[in-house]
Amino acid sequence: MPTFASMAAMRFGYGRRPGETPPQDVDTLIRQVERGVREPSLFPFEGLAERRALFADYGIVEVASREGRAKGTLVMIDGRSVSPYGIALNNALQRDRHLRVQQAVLSPNGFFERLAAFWFDHFAIDARKGATTRILAAVYEAEALRPNLAGKFSTLLAAAVLHPAMLVYLDQVRSVGPNSPVGRKSGRGLNENLARELIELHTMGAGSGYSQTDVRAAAYLLTGLWYRAPAYHTVFRARFAEPGSHDVLGRSYGGADQQMERVHNLLHDLAAREETRRHICRKLVVHFISDDPPQAVVDAMVEAWQRSDGELFAVYRAMLDHPRSFAEEGQKVRQPFDFVVSALRALNVPDTALQPNGTKDKQWQSASDMAALKDVMMMTDEGRPALGTNSLSVGVLERLGQSVWSPSSPAGWAENLSAWVTASQITERIAWTRRLVARFGGDADPRAFLEATLADVARADTIETVSRAPSREIAMTMVLASPEFNRR
């Protein structure tokens, strides 16, 4: 039976990293979350406040690019026009995505980082949907999710759902009340995407008793949500909002005053529902413990949620305190992000090796200085963004099918074993692992590496296989390709 430290590091973190002491008890895991919510993330690469200060400058570049295209004055390379705005956005996103991987690799707060990944997946957006999401994806995680993932669920829900990145991703900015002043004049109508995902994914869960009538009424209530550019702050525009009262799940919202208050009331009520408690707690157990979640663990978390009025700290502790949470190792397959980060940690790969291709060290000037954008407007001689994907981190995640901040749908990434244990997935993992070991394995003793990486999780047959390997590199590759390392 593996020790608590081994199970905690693998099941609730990103595995062992040389020089780090694995968690010894539940309180240690909880303290990781307490530290994590207070610490700034590595992304956005300029810093959160600095990124926001630069929004206006990005807007200037956008206008100049649009005008240049209209006038035919953009630079042409090989018959193709080059947009400075597109170059800037793609370079910025590349820096941010690589820093997202570094954040998970370097942080000593493994449980917090795993929770951050879980909640981004729960409140999923796709950074590649458009220009706005490219510039906002890192901001969304850094300011809406990470600081709020240990408070009340209702606070986290509002921060995520009302963030401009979510409004853009789920097309809420296209939704207009048909009977609003703007709707009657323009003929524009309702978009139900955000309302549907709010109920079906973010709160109650599919098949939990709501109807299409509830979804449509919620969509009416959400009309009026907008964001001001280039500040990217969410506002409520009454002229776009559907007038009147609307009933959602037996409660009436709205009325004469078409204000943001009706949206907050809806979110608060959805967060407080029993269906929401069960849906979220079950998802946490599926993510961390088993595709077939032990009902006793789910029930304990639901009880803690109800008792604490939705305090997520209490929910996490209820999960960690339950003995079933540390039983039956190997119930979950490591998704590609989890696998890649854990391997990079096991080999103690330095942050200098995880930069985007083409990165040059640069001291940033004042955030209000347009010169600060010059670095992200660099391009190659072929007119492409100068920064490319590093095959050790962001590149391999793309090949493995789990691109950073680009989930396959609003439902996030698949959790089940069959989605990630395929012939092509295993082949790619082994190939990448061999390259990683060849570069960073040094002269390490495979047996010592096995002990440091898997400790008492390693099975007897894995230990024997590693000991019989024909070379040191193959032996170390076998450790990272073993079933124990690829499952948790």
Side-chain angles (χ1 to χ4, degrees), residues 32-78:
Q32 291 182 358
V33 182
E34 293 172 336
R35 290 195 301 268
V37 296
R38 296 194 302 265
E39 295 175 357
S41 60
L42 297 177
F43 51 88
F45 65 95
E46 316 97 324
L48 183 55
E50 289 78 5
R51 171 65 61 85
R52 282 201 162 276
L54 281 172
F55 281 155
D57 291 343
Y58 275 99
I60 292 172
V61 177
E62 178 186 15
V63 171
S65 297
R66 190 166 58 243
E67 291 178 348
R69 180 174 290 106
K71 296 176 181 178
T73 58
L74 291 179
V75 173
M76 301 292 292
I77 297 179
D78 294 333

mmCIF file of all heavy atoms in Angstrom, residues 32-78:
data_model
loop_
_atom_site.group_PDB
_atom_site.id
_atom_site.type_symbol
_atom_site.label_atom_id
_atom_site.label_comp_id
_atom_site.label_asym_id
_atom_site.label_seq_id
_atom_site.Cartn_x
_atom_site.Cartn_y
_atom_site.Cartn_z
ATOM 1 N N GLN A 32 -1.229 24.393 0.658
ATOM 2 C CA GLN A 32 -0.864 24.682 -0.729
ATOM 3 C C GLN A 32 -1.927 25.543 -1.408
ATOM 4 O O GLN A 32 -1.610 26.444 -2.191
ATOM 5 C CB GLN A 32 -0.669 23.374 -1.504
ATOM 6 C CG GLN A 32 0.551 22.574 -1.096
ATOM 7 C CD GLN A 32 0.713 21.315 -1.931
ATOM 8 O OE1 GLN A 32 -0.108 21.018 -2.801
ATOM 9 N NE2 GLN A 32 1.760 20.562 -1.669
ATOM 10 N N VAL A 33 -3.184 25.264 -1.107
ATOM 11 C CA VAL A 33 -4.270 26.053 -1.685
ATOM 12 C C VAL A 33 -4.270 27.452 -1.086
ATOM 13 O O VAL A 33 -4.447 28.456 -1.800
ATOM 14 C CB VAL A 33 -5.629 25.360 -1.459
ATOM 15 C CG1 VAL A 33 -6.755 26.162 -2.098
ATOM 16 C CG2 VAL A 33 -5.606 23.940 -2.020
ATOM 17 N N GLU A 34 -4.068 27.560 0.214
ATOM 18 C CA GLU A 34 -4.018 28.873 0.866
ATOM 19 C C GLU A 34 -2.919 29.743 0.273
ATOM 20 O O GLU A 34 -3.129 30.951 0.040
ATOM 21 C CB GLU A 34 -3.803 28.702 2.371
ATOM 22 C CG GLU A 34 -4.972 28.047 3.092
ATOM 23 C CD GLU A 34 -4.654 27.725 4.541
ATOM 24 O OE1 GLU A 34 -3.452 27.577 4.873
ATOM 25 O OE2 GLU A 34 -5.598 27.623 5.339
ATOM 26 N N ARG A 35 -1.763 29.155 0.008
ATOM 27 C CA ARG A 35 -0.672 29.922 -0.602
ATOM 28 C C ARG A 35 -1.001 30.276 -2.046
ATOM 29 O O ARG A 35 -0.754 31.395 -2.511
ATOM 30 C CB ARG A 35 0.636 29.131 -0.556
ATOM 31 C CG ARG A 35 1.228 28.967 0.825
ATOM 32 C CD ARG A 35 2.680 28.509 0.738
ATOM 33 N NE ARG A 35 2.828 27.243 0.027
ATOM 34 C CZ ARG A 35 2.826 26.055 0.606
ATOM 35 N NH1 ARG A 35 2.654 25.959 1.926
ATOM 36 N NH2 ARG A 35 2.977 24.951 -0.103
ATOM 37 N N GLY A 36 -1.547 29.316 -2.752
ATOM 38 C CA GLY A 36 -1.783 29.507 -4.181
ATOM 39 C C GLY A 36 -2.712 30.654 -4.496
ATOM 40 O O GLY A 36 -2.472 31.413 -5.446
ATOM 41 N N VAL A 37 -3.792 30.805 -3.735
ATOM 42 C CA VAL A 37 -4.752 31.869 -4.039
ATOM 43 C C VAL A 37 -4.165 33.250 -3.781
ATOM 44 O O VAL A 37 -4.655 34.250 -4.318
ATOM 45 C CB VAL A 37 -6.066 31.701 -3.239
ATOM 46 C CG1 VAL A 37 -6.786 30.430 -3.641
ATOM 47 C CG2 VAL A 37 -5.809 31.718 -1.736
ATOM 48 N N ARG A 38 -3.114 33.323 -2.957
ATOM 49 C CA ARG A 38 -2.503 34.615 -2.644
ATOM 50 C C ARG A 38 -1.381 34.992 -3.602
ATOM 51 O O ARG A 38 -1.050 36.170 -3.736
ATOM 52 C CB ARG A 38 -1.951 34.609 -1.211
ATOM 53 C CG ARG A 38 -2.998 34.460 -0.125
ATOM 54 C CD ARG A 38 -2.403 34.800 1.241
ATOM 55 N NE ARG A 38 -1.245 33.955 1.563
ATOM 56 C CZ ARG A 38 -1.321 32.841 2.281
ATOM 57 N NH1 ARG A 38 -2.497 32.430 2.745
ATOM 58 N NH2 ARG A 38 -0.232 32.129 2.537
ATOM 59 N N GLU A 39 -0.778 34.003 -4.240
ATOM 60 C CA GLU A 39 0.415 34.272 -5.047
ATOM 61 C C GLU A 39 0.037 34.620 -6.488
ATOM 62 O O GLU A 39 -0.844 33.990 -7.073
ATOM 63 C CB GLU A 39 1.332 33.046 -5.039
ATOM 64 C CG GLU A 39 1.904 32.732 -3.658
ATOM 65 C CD GLU A 39 2.713 31.447 -3.645
ATOM 66 O OE1 GLU A 39 2.773 30.776 -4.709
ATOM 67 O OE2 GLU A 39 3.263 31.104 -2.588
ATOM 68 N N PRO A 40 0.706 35.618 -7.066
ATOM 69 C CA PRO A 40 0.451 35.923 -8.483
ATOM 70 C C PRO A 40 0.967 34.804 -9.375
ATOM 71 O O PRO A 40 1.946 34.136 -9.049
ATOM 72 C CB PRO A 40 1.228 37.219 -8.709
ATOM 73 C CG PRO A 40 2.329 37.187 -7.675
ATOM 74 C CD PRO A 40 1.738 36.494 -6.481
ATOM 75 N N SER A 41 0.306 34.588 -10.494
ATOM 76 C CA SER A 41 0.749 33.568 -11.438
ATOM 77 C C SER A 41 1.841 34.129 -12.339
ATOM 78 O O SER A 41 2.056 35.349 -12.403
ATOM 79 C CB SER A 41 -0.424 33.081 -12.281
ATOM 80 O OG SER A 41 -0.981 34.168 -13.003
ATOM 81 N N LEU A 42 2.527 33.258 -13.033
ATOM 82 C CA LEU A 42 3.576 33.673 -13.969
ATOM 83 C C LEU A 42 2.999 34.334 -15.212
ATOM 84 O O LEU A 42 3.731 34.986 -15.959
ATOM 85 C CB LEU A 42 4.418 32.462 -14.380
ATOM 86 C CG LEU A 42 5.205 31.764 -13.272
ATOM 87 C CD1 LEU A 42 5.935 30.544 -13.838
ATOM 88 C CD2 LEU A 42 6.190 32.718 -12.619
ATOM 89 N N PHE A 43 1.717 34.135 -15.447
ATOM 90 C CA PHE A 43 1.064 34.670 -16.636
ATOM 91 C C PHE A 43 -0.043 35.622 -16.207
ATOM 92 O O PHE A 43 -0.555 35.486 -15.090
ATOM 93 C CB PHE A 43 0.489 33.519 -17.485
ATOM 94 C CG PHE A 43 -0.377 32.572 -16.681
ATOM 95 C CD1 PHE A 43 -1.735 32.807 -16.509
ATOM 96 C CD2 PHE A 43 0.180 31.451 -16.066
ATOM 97 C CE1 PHE A 43 -2.536 31.952 -15.759
ATOM 98 C CE2 PHE A 43 -0.614 30.590 -15.305
ATOM 99 C CZ PHE A 43 -1.971 30.843 -15.162
ATOM 100 N N PRO A 44 -0.404 36.599 -17.052
ATOM 101 C CA PRO A 44 0.180 36.977 -18.338
ATOM 102 C C PRO A 44 1.647 37.376 -18.180
ATOM 103 O O PRO A 44 2.054 37.769 -17.085
ATOM 104 C CB PRO A 44 -0.653 38.177 -18.784
ATOM 105 C CG PRO A 44 -1.861 38.193 -17.918
ATOM 106 C CD PRO A 44 -1.495 37.514 -16.653
ATOM 107 N N PHE A 45 2.391 37.298 -19.259
ATOM 108 C CA PHE A 45 3.842 37.401 -19.131
ATOM 109 C C PHE A 45 4.295 38.785 -18.681
ATOM 110 O O PHE A 45 5.336 38.914 -18.041
ATOM 111 C CB PHE A 45 4.540 37.020 -20.438
ATOM 112 C CG PHE A 45 4.274 37.939 -21.596
ATOM 113 C CD1 PHE A 45 5.138 38.970 -21.904
ATOM 114 C CD2 PHE A 45 3.165 37.752 -22.405
ATOM 115 C CE1 PHE A 45 4.894 39.811 -22.978
ATOM 116 C CE2 PHE A 45 2.915 38.580 -23.484
ATOM 117 C CZ PHE A 45 3.783 39.620 -23.777
ATOM 118 N N GLU A 46 3.506 39.845 -18.954
ATOM 119 C CA GLU A 46 3.885 41.173 -18.478
ATOM 120 C C GLU A 46 3.487 41.382 -17.028
ATOM 121 O O GLU A 46 3.960 42.293 -16.367
ATOM 122 C CB GLU A 46 3.196 42.288 -19.294
ATOM 123 C CG GLU A 46 3.178 42.107 -20.782
ATOM 124 C CD GLU A 46 1.847 41.509 -21.236
ATOM 125 O OE1 GLU A 46 1.291 40.662 -20.502
ATOM 126 O OE2 GLU A 46 1.393 41.893 -22.321
ATOM 127 N N GLY A 47 2.597 40.536 -16.522
ATOM 128 C CA GLY A 47 1.948 40.741 -15.238
ATOM 129 C C GLY A 47 0.496 41.114 -15.479
ATOM 130 O O GLY A 47 0.154 41.695 -16.519
ATOM 131 N N LEU A 48 -0.378 40.801 -14.533
ATOM 132 C CA LEU A 48 -1.808 41.015 -14.731
ATOM 133 C C LEU A 48 -2.146 42.501 -14.870
ATOM 134 O O LEU A 48 -2.840 42.919 -15.807
ATOM 135 C CB LEU A 48 -2.591 40.394 -13.577
ATOM 136 C CG LEU A 48 -4.114 40.454 -13.663
ATOM 137 C CD1 LEU A 48 -4.617 39.852 -14.969
ATOM 138 C CD2 LEU A 48 -4.737 39.728 -12.473
ATOM 139 N N ALA A 49 -1.665 43.311 -13.938
ATOM 140 C CA ALA A 49 -1.948 44.745 -14.016
ATOM 141 C C ALA A 49 -1.332 45.348 -15.273
ATOM 142 O O ALA A 49 -1.944 46.208 -15.927
ATOM 143 C CB ALA A 49 -1.414 45.451 -12.763
ATOM 144 N N GLU A 50 -0.147 44.889 -15.614
ATOM 145 C CA GLU A 50 0.530 45.418 -16.794
ATOM 146 C C GLU A 50 -0.201 45.029 -18.077
ATOM 147 O O GLU A 50 -0.308 45.844 -19.007
ATOM 148 C CB GLU A 50 1.979 44.927 -16.831
ATOM 149 C CG GLU A 50 2.877 45.549 -15.774
ATOM 150 C CD GLU A 50 2.686 44.936 -14.393
ATOM 151 O OE1 GLU A 50 1.912 43.950 -14.282
ATOM 152 O OE2 GLU A 50 3.291 45.436 -13.429
ATOM 153 N N ARG A 51 -0.728 43.804 -18.124
ATOM 154 C CA ARG A 51 -1.497 43.400 -19.305
ATOM 155 C C ARG A 51 -2.729 44.293 -19.457
ATOM 156 O O ARG A 51 -3.041 44.755 -20.556
ATOM 157 C CB ARG A 51 -1.899 41.932 -19.200
ATOM 158 C CG ARG A 51 -2.903 41.430 -20.261
ATOM 159 C CD ARG A 51 -2.361 41.458 -21.691
ATOM 160 N NE ARG A 51 -1.199 40.619 -21.866
ATOM 161 C CZ ARG A 51 -1.210 39.309 -22.131
ATOM 162 N NH1 ARG A 51 -2.372 38.686 -22.267
ATOM 163 N NH2 ARG A 51 -0.088 38.646 -22.275
ATOM 164 N N ARG A 52 -3.408 44.533 -18.361
ATOM 165 C CA ARG A 52 -4.580 45.396 -18.433
ATOM 166 C C ARG A 52 -4.195 46.822 -18.846
ATOM 167 O O ARG A 52 -4.927 47.471 -19.600
ATOM 168 C CB ARG A 52 -5.327 45.404 -17.105
ATOM 169 C CG ARG A 52 -6.187 44.156 -16.905
ATOM 170 C CD ARG A 52 -7.281 44.362 -15.890
ATOM 171 N NE ARG A 52 -8.319 43.335 -16.025
ATOM 172 C CZ ARG A 52 -9.322 43.378 -16.866
ATOM 173 N NH1 ARG A 52 -9.440 44.425 -17.680
ATOM 174 N NH2 ARG A 52 -10.218 42.418 -16.932
ATOM 175 N N ALA A 53 -3.048 47.289 -18.380
ATOM 176 C CA ALA A 53 -2.608 48.627 -18.757
ATOM 177 C C ALA A 53 -2.265 48.714 -20.241
ATOM 178 O O ALA A 53 -2.323 49.793 -20.833
ATOM 179 C CB ALA A 53 -1.394 49.032 -17.914
ATOM 180 N N LEU A 54 -1.932 47.580 -20.839
ATOM 181 C CA LEU A 54 -1.549 47.553 -22.254
ATOM 182 C C LEU A 54 -2.732 47.346 -23.199
ATOM 183 O O LEU A 54 -2.564 47.414 -24.412
ATOM 184 C CB LEU A 54 -0.523 46.437 -22.499
ATOM 185 C CG LEU A 54 0.919 46.741 -22.104
ATOM 186 C CD1 LEU A 54 1.771 45.482 -22.212
ATOM 187 C CD2 LEU A 54 1.506 47.847 -22.972
ATOM 188 N N PHE A 55 -3.927 47.068 -22.659
ATOM 189 C CA PHE A 55 -5.070 46.806 -23.537
ATOM 190 C C PHE A 55 -5.300 47.942 -24.530
ATOM 191 O O PHE A 55 -5.599 47.714 -25.701
ATOM 192 C CB PHE A 55 -6.337 46.586 -22.709
ATOM 193 C CG PHE A 55 -6.449 45.211 -22.109
ATOM 194 C CD1 PHE A 55 -7.209 45.001 -20.974
ATOM 195 C CD2 PHE A 55 -5.799 44.127 -22.689
ATOM 196 C CE1 PHE A 55 -7.324 43.731 -20.422
ATOM 197 C CE2 PHE A 55 -5.905 42.858 -22.141
ATOM 198 C CZ PHE A 55 -6.663 42.659 -21.006
ATOM 199 N N ALA A 56 -5.185 49.164 -24.066
ATOM 200 C CA ALA A 56 -5.412 50.297 -24.962
ATOM 201 C C ALA A 56 -4.391 50.313 -26.092
ATOM 202 O O ALA A 56 -4.723 50.634 -27.245
ATOM 203 C CB ALA A 56 -5.363 51.609 -24.178
ATOM 204 N N ASP A 57 -3.147 49.956 -25.768
ATOM 205 C CA ASP A 57 -2.111 49.943 -26.797
ATOM 206 C C ASP A 57 -2.348 48.826 -27.807
ATOM 207 O O ASP A 57 -2.119 49.001 -29.013
ATOM 208 C CB ASP A 57 -0.732 49.793 -26.146
ATOM 209 C CG ASP A 57 -0.335 51.030 -25.353
ATOM 210 O OD1 ASP A 57 -0.966 52.079 -25.578
ATOM 211 O OD2 ASP A 57 0.577 50.946 -24.514
ATOM 212 N N TYR A 58 -2.803 47.662 -27.312
ATOM 213 C CA TYR A 58 -3.184 46.602 -28.247
ATOM 214 C C TYR A 58 -4.310 47.094 -29.161
ATOM 215 O O TYR A 58 -4.349 46.783 -30.352
ATOM 216 C CB TYR A 58 -3.649 45.364 -27.483
ATOM 217 C CG TYR A 58 -2.536 44.431 -27.046
ATOM 218 C CD1 TYR A 58 -2.045 44.463 -25.741
ATOM 219 C CD2 TYR A 58 -1.984 43.511 -27.929
ATOM 220 C CE1 TYR A 58 -1.037 43.610 -25.334
ATOM 221 C CE2 TYR A 58 -0.971 42.654 -27.528
ATOM 222 C CZ TYR A 58 -0.498 42.707 -26.233
ATOM 223 O OH TYR A 58 0.505 41.866 -25.838
ATOM 224 N N GLY A 59 -5.235 47.875 -28.582
ATOM 225 C CA GLY A 59 -6.322 48.409 -29.387
ATOM 226 C C GLY A 59 -5.830 49.335 -30.483
ATOM 227 O O GLY A 59 -6.372 49.336 -31.602
ATOM 228 N N ILE A 60 -4.809 50.126 -30.191
ATOM 229 C CA ILE A 60 -4.233 51.018 -31.206
ATOM 230 C C ILE A 60 -3.653 50.209 -32.355
ATOM 231 O O ILE A 60 -3.832 50.535 -33.534
ATOM 232 C CB ILE A 60 -3.162 51.919 -30.564
ATOM 233 C CG1 ILE A 60 -3.820 52.900 -29.596
ATOM 234 C CG2 ILE A 60 -2.382 52.671 -31.646
ATOM 235 C CD1 ILE A 60 -2.826 53.691 -28.770
ATOM 236 N N VAL A 61 -2.956 49.117 -32.003
ATOM 237 C CA VAL A 61 -2.375 48.254 -33.046
ATOM 238 C C VAL A 61 -3.483 47.607 -33.869
ATOM 239 O O VAL A 61 -3.372 47.468 -35.096
ATOM 240 C CB VAL A 61 -1.462 47.185 -32.416
ATOM 241 C CG1 VAL A 61 -0.913 46.244 -33.490
ATOM 242 C CG2 VAL A 61 -0.317 47.832 -31.651
ATOM 243 N N GLU A 62 -4.591 47.226 -33.208
ATOM 244 C CA GLU A 62 -5.714 46.625 -33.934
ATOM 245 C C GLU A 62 -6.290 47.613 -34.949
ATOM 246 O O GLU A 62 -6.535 47.262 -36.113
ATOM 247 C CB GLU A 62 -6.794 46.202 -32.954
ATOM 248 C CG GLU A 62 -8.015 45.602 -33.637
ATOM 249 C CD GLU A 62 -9.151 45.306 -32.683
ATOM 250 O OE1 GLU A 62 -9.128 45.806 -31.544
ATOM 251 O OE2 GLU A 62 -10.084 44.578 -33.097
ATOM 252 N N VAL A 63 -6.522 48.846 -34.521
ATOM 253 C CA VAL A 63 -7.083 49.850 -35.424
ATOM 254 C C VAL A 63 -6.134 50.109 -36.587
ATOM 255 O O VAL A 63 -6.557 50.194 -37.752
ATOM 256 C CB VAL A 63 -7.374 51.153 -34.656
ATOM 257 C CG1 VAL A 63 -7.754 52.276 -35.623
ATOM 258 C CG2 VAL A 63 -8.495 50.930 -33.642
ATOM 259 N N ALA A 64 -4.835 50.221 -36.291
ATOM 260 C CA ALA A 64 -3.860 50.469 -37.355
ATOM 261 C C ALA A 64 -3.828 49.318 -38.350
ATOM 262 O O ALA A 64 -3.724 49.532 -39.572
ATOM 263 C CB ALA A 64 -2.478 50.683 -36.744
ATOM 264 N N SER A 65 -3.936 48.071 -37.860
ATOM 265 C CA SER A 65 -3.947 46.911 -38.751
ATOM 266 C C SER A 65 -5.190 46.914 -39.629
ATOM 267 O O SER A 65 -5.121 46.620 -40.834
ATOM 268 C CB SER A 65 -3.877 45.617 -37.934
ATOM 269 O OG SER A 65 -2.670 45.525 -37.216
ATOM 270 N N ARG A 66 -6.336 47.243 -39.025
ATOM 271 C CA ARG A 66 -7.585 47.269 -39.793
ATOM 272 C C ARG A 66 -7.555 48.361 -40.860
ATOM 273 O O ARG A 66 -7.961 48.136 -42.006
ATOM 274 C CB ARG A 66 -8.752 47.485 -38.834
ATOM 275 C CG ARG A 66 -10.116 47.300 -39.480
ATOM 276 C CD ARG A 66 -11.216 47.189 -38.450
ATOM 277 N NE ARG A 66 -11.282 48.337 -37.589
ATOM 278 C CZ ARG A 66 -11.073 48.312 -36.264
ATOM 279 N NH1 ARG A 66 -10.759 47.169 -35.673
ATOM 280 N NH2 ARG A 66 -11.161 49.410 -35.541
ATOM 281 N N GLU A 67 -7.043 49.511 -40.493
ATOM 282 C CA GLU A 67 -6.958 50.599 -41.469
ATOM 283 C C GLU A 67 -5.954 50.271 -42.571
ATOM 284 O O GLU A 67 -6.182 50.584 -43.745
ATOM 285 C CB GLU A 67 -6.568 51.895 -40.761
ATOM 286 C CG GLU A 67 -7.662 52.442 -39.851
ATOM 287 C CD GLU A 67 -7.227 53.702 -39.121
ATOM 288 O OE1 GLU A 67 -6.015 54.013 -39.153
ATOM 289 O OE2 GLU A 67 -8.097 54.358 -38.514
ATOM 290 N N GLY A 68 -4.850 49.643 -42.194
ATOM 291 C CA GLY A 68 -3.863 49.256 -43.195
ATOM 292 C C GLY A 68 -4.415 48.249 -44.183
ATOM 293 O O GLY A 68 -4.124 48.316 -45.389
ATOM 294 N N ARG A 69 -5.243 47.322 -43.696
ATOM 295 C CA ARG A 69 -5.856 46.352 -44.601
ATOM 296 C C ARG A 69 -6.828 47.050 -45.554
ATOM 297 O O ARG A 69 -6.872 46.763 -46.749
ATOM 298 C CB ARG A 69 -6.577 45.266 -43.806
ATOM 299 C CG ARG A 69 -7.250 44.215 -44.689
ATOM 300 C CD ARG A 69 -7.841 43.075 -43.872
ATOM 301 N NE ARG A 69 -6.809 42.243 -43.292
ATOM 302 C CZ ARG A 69 -6.460 42.228 -42.002
ATOM 303 N NH1 ARG A 69 -7.075 43.040 -41.148
ATOM 304 N NH2 ARG A 69 -5.501 41.447 -41.557
ATOM 305 N N ALA A 70 -7.605 47.991 -45.021
ATOM 306 C CA ALA A 70 -8.572 48.710 -45.864
ATOM 307 C C ALA A 70 -7.874 49.556 -46.931
ATOM 308 O O ALA A 70 -8.359 49.672 -48.061
ATOM 309 C CB ALA A 70 -9.460 49.586 -44.988
ATOM 310 N N LYS A 71 -6.733 50.132 -46.572
ATOM 311 C CA LYS A 71 -6.016 51.001 -47.510
ATOM 312 C C LYS A 71 -5.021 50.251 -48.378
ATOM 313 O O LYS A 71 -4.430 50.836 -49.299
ATOM 314 C CB LYS A 71 -5.283 52.089 -46.728
ATOM 315 C CG LYS A 71 -6.192 53.036 -45.969
ATOM 316 C CD LYS A 71 -5.386 54.018 -45.148
ATOM 317 C CE LYS A 71 -6.276 54.967 -44.360
ATOM 318 N NZ LYS A 71 -5.486 55.895 -43.518
ATOM 319 N N GLY A 72 -4.818 48.964 -48.077
ATOM 320 C CA GLY A 72 -3.862 48.183 -48.840
ATOM 321 C C GLY A 72 -2.426 48.538 -48.546
ATOM 322 O O GLY A 72 -1.542 48.372 -49.403
ATOM 323 N N THR A 73 -2.155 49.012 -47.311
ATOM 324 C CA THR A 73 -0.806 49.432 -46.960
ATOM 325 C C THR A 73 -0.085 48.460 -46.029
ATOM 326 O O THR A 73 1.020 48.752 -45.564
ATOM 327 C CB THR A 73 -0.850 50.814 -46.286
ATOM 328 O OG1 THR A 73 -1.687 50.748 -45.119
ATOM 329 C CG2 THR A 73 -1.377 51.872 -47.245
ATOM 330 N N LEU A 74 -0.705 47.313 -45.729
ATOM 331 C CA LEU A 74 -0.016 46.332 -44.890
ATOM 332 C C LEU A 74 1.163 45.728 -45.635
ATOM 333 O O LEU A 74 1.169 45.643 -46.867
ATOM 334 C CB LEU A 74 -0.976 45.218 -44.473
ATOM 335 C CG LEU A 74 -2.098 45.574 -43.497
ATOM 336 C CD1 LEU A 74 -2.959 44.352 -43.217
ATOM 337 C CD2 LEU A 74 -1.537 46.136 -42.192
ATOM 338 N N VAL A 75 2.182 45.306 -44.888
ATOM 339 C CA VAL A 75 3.346 44.651 -45.481
ATOM 340 C C VAL A 75 2.907 43.377 -46.184
ATOM 341 O O VAL A 75 2.104 42.599 -45.643
ATOM 342 C CB VAL A 75 4.392 44.331 -44.397
ATOM 343 C CG1 VAL A 75 5.537 43.504 -44.976
ATOM 344 C CG2 VAL A 75 4.923 45.619 -43.775
ATOM 345 N N MET A 76 3.404 43.142 -47.368
ATOM 346 C CA MET A 76 3.100 41.937 -48.134
ATOM 347 C C MET A 76 4.331 41.052 -48.202
ATOM 348 O O MET A 76 5.425 41.520 -48.558
ATOM 349 C CB MET A 76 2.644 42.304 -49.546
ATOM 350 C CG MET A 76 1.416 43.199 -49.609
ATOM 351 S SD MET A 76 -0.099 42.372 -49.051
ATOM 352 C CE MET A 76 -0.312 41.169 -50.383
ATOM 353 N N ILE A 77 4.179 39.796 -47.862
ATOM 354 C CA ILE A 77 5.269 38.816 -47.955
ATOM 355 C C ILE A 77 4.728 37.589 -48.653
ATOM 356 O O ILE A 77 3.749 36.980 -48.202
ATOM 357 C CB ILE A 77 5.819 38.443 -46.557
ATOM 358 C CG1 ILE A 77 6.420 39.683 -45.880
ATOM 359 C CG2 ILE A 77 6.864 37.337 -46.669
ATOM 360 C CD1 ILE A 77 6.964 39.405 -44.491
ATOM 361 N N ASP A 78 5.361 37.245 -49.777
ATOM 362 C CA ASP A 78 4.918 36.102 -50.589
ATOM 363 C C ASP A 78 3.443 36.220 -50.949
ATOM 364 O O ASP A 78 2.679 35.242 -50.905
ATOM 365 C CB ASP A 78 5.173 34.783 -49.847
ATOM 366 C CG ASP A 78 6.656 34.503 -49.659
ATOM 367 O OD1 ASP A 78 7.452 34.984 -50.492
ATOM 368 O OD2 ASP A 78 7.012 33.828 -48.687
#
